[in-house]
Amino acid sequence: MRCPNHLLHQLDQGRRLKERSGYRGRFAPSPTGVLHFGNLQTALLSWLQARCLGGEWFLRIDDLDTPRNRPESLLRIQSDLLWLGLHWDGQPMLQSSRRGIYNSWLSCLRRSGLVFACRCSRRDLAGESIYPGTCRAIDAGWGWQEQRLPSWRLRVPEHNPFGSGDVVVRRADGFIAYQLATVIDELSFGITDVVRGNDLRDALPSQLSIYAALGQKPSRFWHGPLLYDDEGQKLSKREASAGLDVARSKGEDPAHVIGQLAAGLGLVPLGTRLSIDELLSEVRDASTLPLNS
């Protein structure tokens, strides 16, 4: 695949950052609301792994899905993390500031014949676990048809070892797909390790297919436990997942919340109160964290 020099330079820069730093992790929330306790648990796991291994930890804001963004959430995310003592390295990075980079990669993929236009709707694909290749061998057209643009799909080899099917890299509404943007960012910023919840495990095959298409070695992926409420529902799907406001309204301080999150992860006994630095001293060894690849 032939790409402009400035894109290749970003990949080279990312490789150099990995070689120089050893460990570079990140937390990448979307500014669509407050950080609920499930988000905070993932942030804590990601931060602990980075610090246990003497690495760097960065904050990236995944704000490409503009209609869902809430302007007040950007500062709120940062203030909540800092309230708990989860300090990041460098400046927060906004994906919205990198749209030009993602579009340049899309153009490169298209010129290389690695993407095709797809007119399939969600209704067309209902019941399909993997894209069946409906538009792969036809000329669906790249422009507007019936007031609708096509999505762009990565042309994944038929015997793809990851089992992803042809991955959407640009949505039919014109927005850059999360799968492409996050892979470009991990490569450009030299992210060595990604810690996220088990609910994102299904995204891994698509992302590995994009790494392979770019000819790049993927980051290491780790998945942590999800947080459930008393009814067994994932916390992120519940209105009760209101974040730190509820905790603070009850007079709970950072030591209480850190202890609560750490106990839920099996790192300390229930009812423990401790600061983030005290928790780091308790953990010491990243292998004790409840993470699996």
Side-chain angles (χ1 to χ4, degrees):
M1 180 173 62
R2 296 177 61 86
C3 289
N5 287 336
H6 73 280
L7 297 182
L8 298 177
H9 175 72
Q10 287 198 354
L11 299 184
D12 288 338
Q13 185 179 45
R15 281 192 290 268
R16 287 195 296 270
L17 288 171
K18 286 183 180 181
E19 294 168 358
R20 185 184 70 193
S21 303
Y23 184 104
R24 290 169 66 87
R26 55 76 167 166
F27 177 57
S30 298
T32 56
V34 299
L35 291 176
H36 55 70
F37 271 70
N39 299 139
L40 295 171
Q41 177 176 278
T42 299
L44 178 62
L45 269 175
S46 179
W47 186 91
L48 283 171
Q49 187 183 55
R51 298 314 188 207
C52 281
L53 295 173
E56 297 172 286
W57 190 70
F58 300 94
L59 178 62
R60 188 184 80 210
I61 305 298
D62 289 0
D63 59 344
L64 286 177
D65 199 350
T66 308
R68 298 179 62 237
N69 292 342
R70 297 183 184 177
E72 71 277 6
S73 294
L74 177 58
L75 292 178
R76 176 63 185 274
I77 286 170
Q78 296 176 70
S79 64
D80 282 354
L81 292 174
L82 293 175
W83 187 76
L84 292 174
L86 297 174
H87 296 269
W88 55 87
D89 295 293
Q91 296 296 316
M93 190 276 283
L94 274 64
Q95 284 192 323
S96 59
S97 69
R98 289 172 51 78
R99 287 194 180 97
I101 295 295
Y102 308 137
N103 280 311
S104 292
W105 277 108
L106 278 174
S107 297
C108 179
L109 290 169
R110 181 175 170 180
R111 287 196 303 271
S112 301
L114 293 176
V115 296
F116 62 92
C118 175
R119 298 281 174 183
C120 296
S121 66
R122 290 186 179 181
R123 179 180 296 179
D124 295 332
L125 300 176
E128 300 283 356
S129 58
I130 296 177
Y131 179 70
T134 308
C135 297
R136 184 182 179 119
I138 66 174
D139 182 5
W142 298 95
W144 291 90
Q145 292 182 17
E146 299 178 354
Q147 299 182 324
R148 192 169 176 270
L149 287 169
S151 61
W152 293 19
R153 287 185 180 271
L154 182 68
R155 195 181 298 275
V156 174
E158 183 178 352
H159 300 293
N160 172 259
F162 312 117
S164 69
D166 297 320
V167 183
V168 172
V169 291
R170 199 199 74 169
R171 294 167 14 186
D173 58 9
F175 285 98
I176 306 295
Y178 164 79
Q179 311 289 16
L180 176 67
T182 193
V183 167
I184 295 301
D185 289 340
E186 317 301 19
L187 290 170
S188 300
F189 294 99
I191 300 300
T192 62
D193 293 77
V194 174
V195 174
R196 54 194 185 181
N198 267 323
D199 56 333
L200 290 178
R201 185 180 290 277
D202 289 345
L204 187 55
S206 295
Q207 291 170 9
L208 292 177
S209 291
I210 295 173
Y211 277 108
L214 298 177
Q216 300 297 312
K217 181 180 178 181
S219 304
R220 292 182 292 264
F221 289 89
W222 306 90
H223 298 88
L226 302 180
L227 195 61
Y228 294 90
D229 64 14
D230 293 338
E231 298 176 7
Q233 299 292 321
K234 192 177 72 170
L235 199 62
S236 61
K237 300 297 184 183
R238 305 285 291 181
E239 290 183 6
S241 58
L244 292 176
D245 278 350
V246 172
R248 284 189 280 245
S249 70
K250 296 177 181 177
E252 297 172 1
D253 60 2
H256 178 96
V257 176
I258 291 292
Q260 182 181 5
L261 292 171
L265 293 169
L267 300 176
V268 299
L270 189 65
T272 301
R273 287 175 48 85
L274 73 176
S275 69
I276 190 66
D277 290 330
E278 290 169 335
L279 176 59
L280 182 58
S281 296
E282 285 279 333
V283 175
R284 292 191 181 90
D285 185 355
S287 67
T288 64
L289 298 174
L291 291 168
N292 51 76
S293 58

